């Protein structure tokens, strides 16, 4: 038995080394069959070792090496049980990637296919929040992501960010068409696409449908306000940076007027109706600060009409980078801010606290990305789509 055991160990080593002929001979030696194999080879007879020897059911039959037989590359034998196990493993979803990702995608809405980028933080898990970020004119998704540095905040705080991108055939400057009636009604145009994309991303990544937020800069801020107003079942809170209120304009001419002077008396302003945080530079020469004030006033007034009393507080926020800010918060009876407006002293038309790697950024200002996320995470949708 010891000889057989040693022969089997030797045969295993030879097999793993791809030397199948030597392995076969070692096995035959262990079985006491080597002399028959040698005789068969010398007599130029058949190479089958012992066709009439009793062979246990299911065991392989060994063959003697012949001069015209060559070794083949080793291939590991897999039992039927192991094969079944591998098939079962193949049907099991692969574990989520541990590294963060920033990937492009395309979303079809109506007759158009909108590009977007989505950031997923490392070690993602079900139930993460989603933040939708809408770029301004002359920007795209990648530029806006770089300038706002929102991905860095998302990695630290663990949420998903999606950046829809405007089509140049829809607006040659890359602006969202917040001022056109075709995009100001529920179920139509760009707001419908943005809301559908937000819900799609939340479903795709098993995010929390009650914690989907939207923010934007300039034309993106105006569109964020509009999308929030039209789709309160999708979005839980809104961030408007250097933007305009819903209904501030109905065409190109009134849009330019509102941007320069604020909404006119004939503007049919509408409240967003969701928790809203606003950022505005007092030195903005593109969008008048009067627009930020109009958004805040409309939100507070709409709550009052609903019988919701909000208390206001004002504070000054010094900046180590050189721009001071005044912050007014309107809080409910539970002490949660429902409306918040940041006025940044002498700041231009740019994302506050942004990264110089992107366009339209103001690194000297307070960090709008961090402040918006803190505001967002205090709110969730009580009647979200998808639940």
């Amino acid at each position: 038995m010891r000889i057989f055991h040693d022969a089997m160990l030797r045969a295993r080593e030879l097999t793993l080394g791809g030397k199948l002929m030597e392995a076969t001979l070692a096995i035959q030696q262990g079985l006491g069959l080597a002399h028959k194999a040698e005789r068969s080879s010398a007599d130029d007879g058949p190479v089958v070792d012992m066709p009439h020897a009793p062979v246990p059911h299911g065991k392989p039959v060994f063959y003697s090496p012949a001069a015209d037989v060559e070794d083949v590359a080793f291939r590991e034998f897999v039992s039927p049980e192991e094969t079944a196990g591998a098939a079962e493993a193949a049907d099991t979803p692969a574990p989520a990637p541990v590294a963060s990702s920033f990937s492009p995608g395309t979303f079809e809405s109506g007759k158009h296919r909108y590009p977007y980028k989505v950031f997923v933080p490392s070690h993602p898990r079900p139930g993460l929040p989603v933040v939708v970020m809408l770029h301004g004119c002359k920007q795209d998704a990648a530029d806006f992501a770089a300038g706002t540095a929102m991905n860095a905040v998302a990695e630290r705080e663990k949420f998903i960010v999606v950046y829809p991108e405007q089509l140049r055939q829809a607006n040659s400057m890359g602006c969202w068409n917040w001022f056109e009636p075709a995009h100001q009604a529920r179920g139509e145009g760009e707001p419908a696409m943005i809301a559908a994309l937000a819900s799609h991303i939340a479903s795709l990544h098993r995010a929390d449908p009650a914690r989907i937020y939207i923010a934007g800069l300039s034309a993106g801020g105006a569109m964020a306000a509009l999308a929030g107003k039209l789709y309160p079942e999708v979005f839980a809170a809104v961030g408007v940076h250097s933007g305009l209120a819903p209904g501030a304009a109905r065409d190109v001419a009134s849009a330019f007027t509102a941007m320069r002077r604020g909404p006119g008396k004939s503007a049919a302003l509408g409240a967003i109706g969701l928790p809203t945080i606003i950022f505005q530079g007092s030195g903005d020469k593109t969008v008048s600060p009067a627009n930020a004030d109009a958004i805040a006033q409309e939100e507070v007034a709409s709550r009052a009409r609903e019988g919701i009393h909000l208390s206001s507080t004002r504070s000054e926020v010094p900046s180590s980078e050189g721009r001071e800010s005044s912050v007014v918060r309107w809080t409910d009876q539970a002490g949660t801010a429902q409306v918040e407006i940041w006025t940044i002293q002498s700041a231009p038309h740019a994302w506050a606290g942004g990264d110089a790697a992107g366009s339209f950024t103001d690194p000297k200002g307070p960090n709008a990305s961090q402040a918006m996320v803190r505001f967002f995470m205090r709110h969730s949708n009580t009647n979200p789509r998808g639940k």
Side-chain angles (χ1 to χ4, degrees), residues 103-107 114-118:
S103 307
T106 304
F107 186 71
Y114 288 86
Y116 67 87
K117 283 185 174 291
V118 61

Side-chain angles (χ1 to χ4, degrees), residues 31 33 48-63:
L31 294 172
L33 304 175
V48 179
D49 58 356
M50 47 180 300
H52 303 295
V55 179
H57 178 70
K59 297 293 183 180
V61 176
F62 298 104
Y63 294 88

Side-chain angles (χ1 to χ4, degrees), residues 238-378:
V238 175
V240 182
H241 199 313
S242 310
L244 299 94
R250 297 286 292 177
D251 52 32
V252 174
S254 59
F256 277 113
T257 299
M259 290 168 63
R260 288 194 301 265
R261 304 174 187 172
K265 294 181 180 180
S266 62
L269 295 185
I272 300 169
L274 296 175
T276 302
I277 181 171
I278 306 153
F279 272 77
Q280 179 66 50
S282 66
D284 193 332
K285 304 301 182 183
T286 302
V287 174
S288 169
N291 289 287
D293 293 335
I295 296 171
Q297 292 169 11
E298 190 62 32
E299 295 306 308
V300 174
S302 71
R303 304 305 196 279
R305 289 192 293 268
E306 296 172 4
I308 301 173
H309 176 70
L310 299 178
S311 301
S312 65
T313 59
R314 181 187 179 93
S315 60
E316 303 299 323
V317 181
S319 172
S320 59
E321 300 297 332
R323 295 199 193 280
E324 295 184 351
S325 304
S326 61
V327 184
V328 180
R329 294 181 177 91
W330 287 266
T331 58
D332 58 20
Q333 292 182 345
T336 303
Q338 296 295 322
V339 182
E340 192 169 306
I341 181 170
W342 292 59
T343 302
I344 310 161
Q345 298 303 318
S346 305
H349 187 70
W351 190 270
D355 192 312
S359 64
F360 297 100
T361 61
D362 178 30
K364 294 182 179 180
N367 195 312
S369 294
Q370 291 183 8
M372 284 188 179
V373 169
R374 284 196 299 267
F375 180 87
F376 290 161
M377 298 308 163
R378 298 189 187 104

Side-chain angles (χ1 to χ4, degrees), residues 120-159:
V120 179
S122 62
H123 303 284
R125 62 184 185 276
L128 293 181
V130 175
V131 175
V132 179
M133 295 287 286
L134 302 180
H135 62 77
C137 300
K138 301 181 182 180
Q139 294 180 311
D140 57 22
D143 179 23
F144 197 47
T148 61
M150 187 61 85
N151 291 355
V153 182
E155 174 61 25
R156 184 172 61 252
E157 302 296 334
K158 298 303 179 187
F159 58 89

Side-chain angles (χ1 to χ4, degrees), residues 102 107 114-120 128-136 140-141 144-145 148 150-151 154 159-166 176 190-203 205 207-228 231 233-241 274-275 277 351 368-369 372-373 376-377 385:
F102 190 39
F107 186 71
Y114 288 86
Y116 67 87
K117 283 185 174 291
V118 61
F119 175 83
V120 179
L128 293 181
V130 175
V131 175
V132 179
M133 295 287 286
L134 302 180
H135 62 77
D140 57 22
F144 197 47
T148 61
M150 187 61 85
N151 291 355
F159 58 89
I160 296 165
V161 194
V162 57
Y163 301 85
E165 190 170 304
Q166 175 64 299
W176 298 100
E190 293 161 8
M193 180 278 294
I194 293 166
L197 174 58
S199 297
H200 169 71
I201 292 296
S203 176
H205 294 278
D208 186 351
R211 294 191 295 164
I212 302 176
Y213 312 99
I214 187 168
L217 171 67
S218 192
M223 182 56 72
L226 191 55
Y231 297 94
E233 78 281 14
V234 174
F235 301 108
V238 175
V240 182
H241 199 313
L274 296 175
I277 181 171
W351 190 270
S369 294
M372 284 188 179
V373 169
F376 290 161
M377 298 308 163
R385 177 188 295 176

